[in-house]
Amino acid sequence: MVQCGEEEPEDVIPAEICYPKRFHKRGALAMGRCTDDKELKSAQRQFYIAWGKQTTDKMLQRDDSLMRAWSYGRCAMDSTLQEYYLTQPGIPYLDGSYTVFGEVVKGIEVIDRIQQQATDAHDHPLKEVTIRQAVLTDRPSTSDYWWQT
C-alpha cells in the first residue's frame, strides 16, 4: 500500500466501514488508523491507497482469519469477494477493519511508480514522494460491489 499523512493518536474519528460494498481492491482509498481499539477509529490525517497482489486459495484462508481477528469478529470473507481476489489484486485481510471511502479511477500508473520506490527498514521512501494533485469526483455506484460498476 501507499500510505500518506501524519500519525496523531488523539486525532481520530469514528470508522465508517461498509464491507462488503467497499473493499480493498487495488486503487481503493482508505483511512489509516493510529490506534488499535475495538471501535476501529480512523485517523483524520492519514490515508492510504491499496495496492496488494492477486491471491491464492491458501492465502485467502489466512486473509480470512486475519480479517476476523482485526475486525474483532465483525467480518468474515464474503464469497463473492473471494472470487474477486482470486483474479484481481488487492489486500483482503484489511477488509472490515478500515474505512474505505473512494478509489483511484484515473492515474493508477502513478501509484505503481510510488509503490516501486526504494524504502528503508521502516518502509519509508528513501526519497520524499509528493502527491501534487488529486481530484475528488462523485461517482455513484449502481451495484453493491464497486468492482461491478
Side-chain angles (χ1 to χ4, degrees), residues 130-149:
T130 302
I131 297 174
R132 292 191 183 119
Q133 180 182 15
V135 178
L136 296 176
T137 63
D138 235 358
R139 191 175 88 167
S141 176
T142 58
S143 164
D144 285 344
Y145 295 96
W146 281 6
W147 57 273
Q148 292 178 339
T149 60

